[in-house]
Amino acid sequence: MSDSTLQQTADLDTAPGRPLDRQSILDGRTSLGIELGSTRIKACLVDAADPTSVLAVGSHEWENRFEDRVWTYSLEDVWSGLQAAYADLVADVRRRYDATPETFGAIGVSAMMHGYLAFDERDELLVPFRTWRNTSTGEASAELSERFGVNIPLRWSIAHLHQAVLDAEAHVPDVRFVTTLAGYVHWRLTDRKVLGVGDASGMFPIDAATHDYDATLVASYDALVGDRAPRPLVELLPQVLEAGVPAGVLTTGGAALLDPTGGLKPGALLCPPEGDAGTGMVATNSVAPRTGNVSAGTSIFAMVVLERPLEHAHHELDLVTTPAGDPVAMVHCNNGASELAAWAGVFGQFAAASGTPIGSDAVFEALFTAALEGEADAGGLLAYNHLAGEPIAGLTEGRPLVVRTPDSRLTLPNFMRAQLYGVYGTLALGMRVLEGEGVELERMFAHGGMFRTAGVAQRFLAGALDAPVAVGETASEGGAWGIAVLASYLSAAAETDLGAYLDDRVFADAGFETADPDPADVAGFASYLDRYRAGLAAEAAAVEAL
């Protein structure tokens, strides 16, 4: 990649479109990637033959709702948001190329993983979408983890289904299909009830040999629930597909759902729908053993590709897969950068109130730069970013806190360093468990909007993990681009595996900025984490009292 994909994205509004790119768009020699993230739906159009070439982008902001103590998105918001993001992309194509896309060589859909979307025999949603953020499945998670001998986290689809069975919810007898958000959107676009193996691995455990649901555990679950279940489990779950396997074509109805104007024609091929963890691995070229990546957004999670099975089950670790089906240890934290963004908003409001309003990017840059001047241990300050429950930290609900002792040094640099450290706090607890298993990393890749300010969040993450952290050319637009790459891979899968495709055709000329851990940051964060772990008792007390 000779030019930065991130810089390409930033320059799209001003750079003129090349005639060759215009013809590729008109001919449908492109790949469209769509990702439904927690706060934004993104669309990314690339050249199918050279997916490093980003041709256009589109986006739409949205937000989850907390209704009846359930974190959810309405299906109406799903489709209005997808249509808005697609329309924004089409408008970008028109501005740059004076052309309107009518078809694509391939399309890929990605979305936040896990959760519970349950449908009846008429394909009607039975209960509001229960997202990954919900932590109401404790009884189910504990029972299944013990029975299976592997960790079944609270947010996994099977935990949500089993909790509904345990609670004898009225809708359970009518369930005929359970899927994830990416699986749902793909189904409506293609009429195919399928899922990429990476996303499927967040629904139910995957057999490393077959790259399909673990048949022994499926049988164990059916025996456990007996006639309390509406159907045998395998009949309720999507079919599992590996990366590179064709997963259906865009139907006439699907095209109308994505583009109500009628400009989009049916017939485009779709790749298997994937979760945001899988697209993050692709976008950072971290699908090989001893590589990993950290994705930071509303949630934050680390994915580490394993060389060997773990010796023990740990509640801090999920066992999932790459989009090709290889085993991955996942440290997933429900709370990422949202609290940090809220504080940046407060400082932005202060700037406006003082008569010197500045844009949000400038606010973040100023605050992140200030954090570099903070003490290595954040001056004794603690910041907890828990807006929602956090299983790794033992919290059923969230209570964001800033905590200090009388002898702490409350300065802006220390406050901001504490906030950035707080984003990594729970993640670091889980990564310490991986260290105890002897898992080694050659390099950790990072992506997400908080890494756009060069040299700050990346440096502190290197200190938190005590490992080199690389930020590449797709740092802030990774997910939508990652699924566009997987869509492009459809045409190459017969001749090469996913890892080789990424190495040789996508990242061969890529540049990564790597930050090695600073010994002072490593020691400072370790001190911070010791206080952070001890202070979780105050967090738990706040949940009980407030």
Side-chain angles (χ1 to χ4, degrees), residues 339 343 381-385 399-404 410 415 418-419 539:
E339 180 68 1
W343 277 107
L381 276 62
L382 286 174
Y384 293 98
N385 65 337
R399 298 293 185 273
L401 292 178
V402 174
V403 182
R404 64 189 182 99
L410 180 58
F415 179 82
Q419 288 291 335
E539 270 281 87

Side-chain angles (χ1 to χ4, degrees), residues 94 135 246 258 279:
R94 288 172 176 160
T135 56
L258 198 55
T279 58

Side-chain angles (χ1 to χ4, degrees), residues 36 164 175 218 221 245 289 302 315 377 433 485 503:
L36 296 94
V175 175
V218 168
Y221 183 74
V245 176
H315 82 272
D377 67 348
V433 176
V485 171
D503 284 341

Side-chain angles (χ1 to χ4, degrees), residues 138-333:
E139 182 182 1
S141 172
E143 183 174 50
L144 295 178
S145 296
E146 181 177 0
R147 184 175 181 89
F148 293 167
V150 296
N151 181 36
I152 302 297
L154 301 178
R155 65 189 179 281
W156 277 31
S157 304
I158 188 60
H160 283 279
L161 174 63
H162 190 51
Q163 192 65 53
V165 169
L166 292 176
D167 294 340
E169 292 192 36
H171 77 277
V172 169
D174 297 322
V175 175
R176 295 295 179 271
F177 179 49
V178 176
T179 191
T180 66
L181 182 56
Y184 163 70
V185 172
H186 183 97
W187 167 40
R188 294 295 306 276
L189 295 181
T190 65
D191 290 335
R192 292 283 306 277
K193 295 179 177 179
V194 300
L195 207 59
V197 62
D199 205 6
S201 69
M203 294 192 78
F204 192 87
I206 296 293
D207 186 322
T210 66
H211 294 180
D212 202 347
Y213 302 117
D214 189 308
T216 299
L217 298 185
V218 168
S220 177
Y221 183 74
D222 287 339
L224 173 66
V225 296
D227 59 8
R228 294 179 293 169
R231 288 284 194 280
L233 181 61
V234 72
E235 296 181 16
L236 302 179
L237 299 177
Q239 178 188 1
V240 180
L241 300 176
E242 297 175 27
V245 176
V249 298
L250 184 67
T251 65
T252 300
L257 274 174
L258 198 55
D259 181 14
T261 70
L264 178 60
K265 296 178 180 179
L269 189 65
L270 272 81
C271 70
E274 264 299 345
D276 50 358
T279 58
M281 285 186 278
V282 169
T284 54
N285 193 22
S286 49
V287 299
R290 298 174 70 92
T291 66
N293 76 90
V294 170
S295 176
T298 301
S299 63
I300 184 169
F301 53 85
M303 309 287 291
V304 178
V305 186
L306 299 174
E307 294 180 283
R308 56 173 177 76
L310 299 180
E311 294 183 6
H312 306 286
H314 304 275
H315 82 272
E316 298 93 345
L317 306 177
D318 304 16
L319 292 179
V320 291
T321 79
T322 70
D326 297 317
V328 173
M330 181 180 191
V331 180
H332 185 283
C333 310

Side-chain angles (χ1 to χ4, degrees), residues 55-138:
L55 304 177
V57 295
S59 67
H60 171 76
E61 292 186 358
W62 70 336
E63 188 56 76
N64 56 191
R65 308 176 186 182
F66 191 56
E67 298 177 345
D68 298 324
R69 304 194 68 77
V70 172
W71 292 104
T72 188
Y73 299 84
S74 73
L75 297 191
E76 291 78 11
D77 287 349
V78 169
W79 291 109
S80 64
L82 280 168
Q83 290 164 6
Y86 180 78
D88 194 37
L89 177 130
V90 170
D92 192 30
V93 172
R94 288 172 176 160
R95 282 194 302 270
R96 299 193 67 234
Y97 305 97
D98 189 25
T100 300
E102 295 183 350
T103 189
F104 307 100
I107 300 174
V109 176
S110 174
M112 59 194 94
M113 291 176 66
H114 317 295
Y116 183 69
L117 280 157
F119 298 87
D120 64 16
E121 62 184 6
R122 298 179 302 279
D123 295 338
E124 296 291 333
L125 186 68
L126 288 167
V127 292
F129 174 30
R130 299 170 182 175
T131 78
W132 57 270
R133 203 170 190 178
N134 292 283
T135 56
S136 58
T137 57

